[in-house]
Amino acid sequence: MTTTLGTASADPGEIDTGRLEVGETRDGSPFGLPVAVVNGADSGKTLYIQAASDGDELNGVGVVQQVVPQLDPTELSGTILIVGIVNYHGFQVAEHRNPIDDTKMNRAYPGNAAGTSSERIAAATFEAATRADLILDLHQGSTSRMIDEVRVRCGTRHRLHGECLELAKVFGCGYILDQKGPDGQLARAAPDEGIPTVDPELGGCVGWDETSIRKGVEGVFNVLRYYGFLEGERSPEPQTRAKGFEQFGAPAGGLVDLEPDLGDRVTTGDTLFTVTTPFGEPKQTVTADSDGILWRSRRLPQVATGEYVCSVATDIDEY
Ligand SMILES: [Zn+2]
């Protein structure tokens, strides 16, 4: 059976790329999101992958760029639908939010086909995503520094929590954040439609990070093997799971000297960072409120009072 997404159309055993038209840019030109359809020779499940829903998060684009040329549709069972760049307008100007309506795309799901710019793009991609049996929404910690992890956002009480957690474990970055996300996330809206969905968060960087992209590529192939799209065994390995997340801001202005490295375990009372003067004099020190793992930190050392410094994931277990 022929499968289409936007202008991409592939028969079994074929792959095609095209555009999913969403509207027009300010000069009246039609614009479309780059899409790919990989139609397996044999029948099976459908996987939906999207990247760059936040316009400055390019590692997911790097993953798509490396995965697609490695796929042989004649050896695939099932179908893969891909939107390579979701936040079209943000991507153009390397910004996180959609500059047309100053909105974070991943707060606009399930979207509205007659709504704002972000809501229309969300609606178009949600329609594509909800054709699938499984969804991967590729993100990263923006341009901050962050470990590679997978987020389960539906919440522990959701009927699909177990299936989302399984998908996160199969993807297998090593770390899982299992915490209900804010309204409007694809990983919140799609499980409500009965589709297991996770947000792989592939590090955090300006531009591309090769290590995070490699983990993302491995994660996609882990999913393809485990769920029967590709031959080959895949038994998921135990992951370090966090269920809480604490953010720390600067108590004073100056330069941040971060004590632990990303991924380090911290214990309540451990020094997280010291704010120093330009002359190296310590001003104030901030300590961990709970046991956990240093999960994310700012990239630039300079801070104003109250500015974000780092995050510690808490409530850690193995899953
Ligand atoms: Zn993101």
PDB file of all heavy atoms in Angstrom, residues 54 57 96 104 139-140, ligand 1:
ATOM      1  N   ASP A  54      11.984  22.442  18.874  1.00  0.00           N
ATOM      2  CA  ASP A  54      12.631  23.664  19.361  1.00  0.00           C
ATOM      3  C   ASP A  54      13.714  24.000  18.334  1.00  0.00           C
ATOM      4  O   ASP A  54      14.578  23.177  18.030  1.00  0.00           O
ATOM      5  CB  ASP A  54      13.216  23.441  20.754  1.00  0.00           C
ATOM      6  CG  ASP A  54      12.113  23.202  21.784  1.00  0.00           C
ATOM      7  OD1 ASP A  54      11.115  23.952  21.755  1.00  0.00           O
ATOM      8  OD2 ASP A  54      12.238  22.277  22.599  1.00  0.00           O
ATOM      9  N   GLU A  57      17.506  23.228  18.523  1.00  0.00           N
ATOM     10  CA  GLU A  57      17.903  21.893  18.978  1.00  0.00           C
ATOM     11  C   GLU A  57      18.194  21.026  17.758  1.00  0.00           C
ATOM     12  O   GLU A  57      17.315  20.365  17.208  1.00  0.00           O
ATOM     13  CB  GLU A  57      16.805  21.310  19.871  1.00  0.00           C
ATOM     14  CG  GLU A  57      16.603  22.174  21.120  1.00  0.00           C
ATOM     15  CD  GLU A  57      15.643  21.580  22.131  1.00  0.00           C
ATOM     16  OE1 GLU A  57      15.031  20.532  21.842  1.00  0.00           O
ATOM     17  OE2 GLU A  57      15.519  22.175  23.212  1.00  0.00           O
ATOM     18  N   HIS A  96      15.112  29.135  19.684  1.00  0.00           N
ATOM     19  CA  HIS A  96      14.383  28.066  20.367  1.00  0.00           C
ATOM     20  C   HIS A  96      12.888  28.116  20.048  1.00  0.00           C
ATOM     21  O   HIS A  96      12.274  27.121  19.684  1.00  0.00           O
ATOM     22  CB  HIS A  96      14.596  28.234  21.874  1.00  0.00           C
ATOM     23  CG  HIS A  96      14.142  27.079  22.702  1.00  0.00           C
ATOM     24  ND1 HIS A  96      14.878  25.911  22.812  1.00  0.00           N
ATOM     25  CD2 HIS A  96      13.025  26.911  23.467  1.00  0.00           C
ATOM     26  CE1 HIS A  96      14.231  25.068  23.613  1.00  0.00           C
ATOM     27  NE2 HIS A  96      13.118  25.653  24.026  1.00  0.00           N
ATOM     28  N   LYS A 104       6.866  28.492  22.330  1.00  0.00           N
ATOM     29  CA  LYS A 104       7.601  27.234  22.344  1.00  0.00           C
ATOM     30  C   LYS A 104       6.704  26.178  21.718  1.00  0.00           C
ATOM     31  O   LYS A 104       5.606  25.923  22.220  1.00  0.00           O
ATOM     32  CB  LYS A 104       7.970  26.881  23.786  1.00  0.00           C
ATOM     33  CG  LYS A 104       8.878  25.680  23.923  1.00  0.00           C
ATOM     34  CD  LYS A 104       9.373  25.574  25.366  1.00  0.00           C
ATOM     35  CE  LYS A 104       9.887  24.168  25.694  1.00  0.00           C
ATOM     36  NZ  LYS A 104      11.154  23.827  25.023  1.00  0.00           N
ATOM     37  N   HIS A 139      14.612  15.877  21.108  1.00  0.00           N
ATOM     38  CA  HIS A 139      14.946  17.167  21.722  1.00  0.00           C
ATOM     39  C   HIS A 139      16.362  17.142  22.270  1.00  0.00           C
ATOM     40  O   HIS A 139      17.075  16.149  22.160  1.00  0.00           O
ATOM     41  CB  HIS A 139      13.969  17.472  22.872  1.00  0.00           C
ATOM     42  CG  HIS A 139      12.636  17.951  22.422  1.00  0.00           C
ATOM     43  ND1 HIS A 139      12.302  19.277  22.359  1.00  0.00           N
ATOM     44  CD2 HIS A 139      11.541  17.264  22.012  1.00  0.00           C
ATOM     45  CE1 HIS A 139      11.059  19.404  21.926  1.00  0.00           C
ATOM     46  NE2 HIS A 139      10.569  18.200  21.709  1.00  0.00           N
ATOM     47  N   GLN A 140      16.737  18.228  22.920  1.00  0.00           N
ATOM     48  CA  GLN A 140      17.973  18.316  23.690  1.00  0.00           C
ATOM     49  C   GLN A 140      17.772  19.451  24.692  1.00  0.00           C
ATOM     50  O   GLN A 140      16.761  20.153  24.625  1.00  0.00           O
ATOM     51  CB  GLN A 140      19.167  18.606  22.783  1.00  0.00           C
ATOM     52  CG  GLN A 140      19.130  19.994  22.156  1.00  0.00           C
ATOM     53  CD  GLN A 140      20.192  20.200  21.091  1.00  0.00           C
ATOM     54  OE1 GLN A 140      20.271  19.451  20.119  1.00  0.00           O
ATOM     55  NE2 GLN A 140      21.009  21.220  21.276  1.00  0.00           N
TER      56      GLN A 140
HETATM   57 ZN    ZN B   1      13.343  20.826  23.207  1.00  0.00          ZN
END
